[in-house]
Amino acid sequence: MVLSIKRVPTVVSNYQKAETAELARYPSGCGRNCLRSCCLPGAKLPLYAFQSVNKLPCDKSLTGSGNNGLSIDFLDSLILGEWEERMLRGLFRYDVTACETKVIPGDYGFIAQLNEGRHLKKRPTEFRVDKVLQPFDQNKFNFTKIGQEEVLFQFEANESSEVQFFPHAPIDIENSPSIVAINVSPIEYGHVLLIPRILECLPQRIDRESFLLALLMAVEAGNPYFRVGYNSLGAFATINHLHFQAYYLAAPFPIERTPSKKIITMKSGVKISDILNYPVRGLVFEGGNKLEYLSNVVSDACICLQENNVPYNVLIADSGKRIFLFPQCYAEKQALGEVSSELLDTQVNPAVWEISGHMVLKRKKDYEEASAEDAWRLLAEVSLSEERFQEVKELIFESICYCTHEANLMADDSAVSPLSRENEEVLNGTSRPDMVPV
């Protein structure tokens, strides 16, 4: 049986509004200044060239020092400056700065936003939710069809030890650049899309290289209010072309204030903890002797979930210092008819931002009556059961310990055994390590 749900897809590009039949009339190109072979030759776009990961200092908080006159927050300023320029040009579908926002009273500080514009003038579409990994389909909308005016800049590693910016750089078609583009249906100020190796037309699935790129973007921006998120297929990603999202919100997300319980500190220095006292069960990753170690552990966990067909969401917070991973099952429950009509009527799709505590509401009634209890009730439906979460954790730990050993990231050969006796007890619930604040 195929599990699917009907939902209104988010319009992330002004060219997405064209119907599939219309796009099909231009198989060799559209002539609309897109990112396909018809329009790319001779095109130039700004290029932000960051330090290659093997050039970064061990303390990633130092990233950006010695950058040939570019300040540490140059990427931060570049994103906001280019985003505001597109806003002045009228490229967004609505003014997100006019959306009402409030903190819902309660201990958790859930944030509610009334954003009626994201849901207008689109027909419900059927999405398959029982396959996290699906092949790329060039006949459906993908990011090569966006207009070049929606692209803010190329985002690429620089083999030198300096950050560099080129206002008009040629597009290296042979090496498929990664780009940062606007989301024309923004949730918040500065809402952008990071599209790794865009011309390779990768499906929505994380790999080590793409996740490191997203983590580096959070580190390079250097702003704790700038978070990077990811939604897998089956967890409310609607475009099967690899992409991350990011935006600015000048308030702490509830998940960032939630306590955690340490499970293990790996010999690479990466600490993994259970999230406590939160409606969605998940893991938090932090630390690491090198930035790449942290990135590899998280990406290997994501790859494990993908290969085991478990939908998930990821939040990169604290300028890349903490990463939250949430396996989820809301869309599956929805397809099986196990979600109440009361929750379905809100039309809230609990993806990474909602799970993190930023509730994007589409009806004024829901916004005006929003309560902490309502937010908790919705998010509790997103979470795996305790039993299923323990099973998924075991899969993750088996995978990441094997991968880190194979990659020689452990300090010695004693890491051949996936987990120590102490950590096996932790996973099985027979030991309770001290609680530490996240």
Side-chain angles (χ1 to χ4, degrees), residues 2-135:
V2 175
L3 292 182
S4 62
I5 60 173
K6 283 187 175 291
R7 61 165 294 196
V8 177
T10 302
V11 177
V12 296
S13 166
N14 288 316
Y15 296 94
Q16 188 179 346
K17 291 182 286 187
E19 297 297 325
T20 302
E22 178 186 347
L23 292 172
R25 292 188 304 180
Y26 305 96
S28 61
C30 60
R32 296 180 298 181
N33 205 30
C34 68
L35 295 177
R36 291 180 286 177
S37 58
C38 54
C39 304
L40 276 182
K44 293 185 177 182
L45 292 169
L47 168 63
Y48 180 95
F50 57 87
Q51 295 178 73
S52 174
V53 68
N54 59 6
K55 302 289 185 181
L56 290 176
C58 290
D59 181 356
K60 57 182 178 286
S61 66
L62 299 177
T63 302
S65 58
N67 286 336
N68 194 27
L70 296 182
S71 64
I72 288 177
D73 61 355
F74 179 75
L75 178 60
D76 198 41
S77 301
L78 177 64
I79 292 171
L80 293 177
E82 293 293 319
W83 192 89
E84 288 185 348
E85 193 273 341
R86 300 315 192 275
M87 184 168 64
L88 291 173
R89 288 167 59 179
L91 296 186
F92 296 100
R93 299 175 66 225
Y94 50 82
D95 180 7
V96 72
T97 63
C99 292
E100 296 180 65
T101 298
K102 65 182 179 182
V103 176
I104 301 173
D107 294 337
Y108 284 84
F110 290 110
I111 302 160
Q113 181 198 88
L114 177 61
N115 193 329
E116 298 169 295
R118 282 176 66 83
H119 200 63
L120 298 177
K121 301 177 182 178
K122 287 289 290 182
R123 294 197 306 268
T125 302
E126 192 167 84
F127 289 92
R128 186 170 185 176
V129 298
D130 57 349
K131 290 290 184 182
V132 173
L133 297 180
Q134 299 178 32

Side-chain angles (χ1 to χ4, degrees), residues 277-290:
N277 305 330
Y278 199 73
V280 186
R281 295 178 178 91
L283 298 172
V284 58
F285 302 77
E286 55 193 316
N289 301 328
K290 292 184 180 180

Side-chain angles (χ1 to χ4, degrees), residues 80-216:
L80 293 177
E82 293 293 319
W83 192 89
E84 288 185 348
E85 193 273 341
R86 300 315 192 275
M87 184 168 64
L88 291 173
R89 288 167 59 179
L91 296 186
F92 296 100
R93 299 175 66 225
Y94 50 82
D95 180 7
V96 72
T97 63
C99 292
E100 296 180 65
T101 298
K102 65 182 179 182
V103 176
I104 301 173
D107 294 337
Y108 284 84
F110 290 110
I111 302 160
Q113 181 198 88
L114 177 61
N115 193 329
E116 298 169 295
R118 282 176 66 83
H119 200 63
L120 298 177
K121 301 177 182 178
K122 287 289 290 182
R123 294 197 306 268
T125 302
E126 192 167 84
F127 289 92
R128 186 170 185 176
V129 298
D130 57 349
K131 290 290 184 182
V132 173
L133 297 180
Q134 299 178 32
F136 181 86
D137 185 348
Q138 64 179 355
N139 294 318
K140 293 183 178 179
F141 175 80
N142 63 76
F143 294 111
T144 66
K145 298 176 181 180
I146 69 174
Q148 291 179 30
E149 70 275 11
E150 296 176 346
V151 178
L152 303 186
F153 51 87
Q154 303 174 71
F155 186 65
E156 295 293 329
N158 187 350
E159 287 305 318
S160 79
S161 60
E162 298 177 338
V163 169
Q164 295 178 301
F165 179 68
F166 306 92
H168 305 285
I171 299 170
D172 187 351
I173 299 175
E174 296 295 324
N175 291 313
S176 187
S178 299
I179 67 162
V180 175
I182 60 171
N183 183 332
V184 303
S185 299
I187 288 176
E188 262 299 343
Y189 185 72
H191 193 165
V192 295
L193 305 169
L194 170 65
I195 307 160
R197 313 194 305 277
I198 185 170
L199 302 181
E200 292 183 27
C201 294
L202 303 169
Q204 184 74 342
R205 63 182 300 172
I206 279 178
D207 56 57
R208 279 190 168 189
E209 182 180 349
S210 65
F211 190 81
L212 180 58
L213 185 74
L215 182 56
L216 283 166

Side-chain angles (χ1 to χ4, degrees), residues 339-412:
V339 179
S340 71
S341 59
E342 179 185 5
L343 291 179
L344 293 176
D345 287 346
T346 68
Q347 303 173 56
V348 174
N349 301 308
V352 61
W353 309 120
E354 288 79 11
I355 292 173
S356 301
H358 188 198
M359 316 304 293
V360 182
L361 304 174
K362 302 180 176 74
R363 301 188 305 182
K364 193 170 185 64
K365 172 180 178 290
D366 295 328
Y367 178 79
E368 291 174 343
E369 299 175 0
S371 68
E373 292 75 19
D374 290 338
W376 189 283
R377 186 162 52 252
L378 170 66
L379 295 183
E381 291 292 331
V382 175
S383 183
L384 301 185
S385 68
E386 179 62 36
E387 181 181 7
R388 177 58 177 154
F389 183 58
Q390 292 300 326
E391 293 173 354
V392 168
K393 276 202 302 184
E394 290 178 13
L395 290 172
I396 289 173
F397 274 85
E398 181 180 356
S399 175
I400 62 178
C401 289
Y402 173 78
C403 290
T404 51
H405 174 65
E406 288 295 299
N408 199 30
L409 296 183
M410 293 295 189
D412 56 47

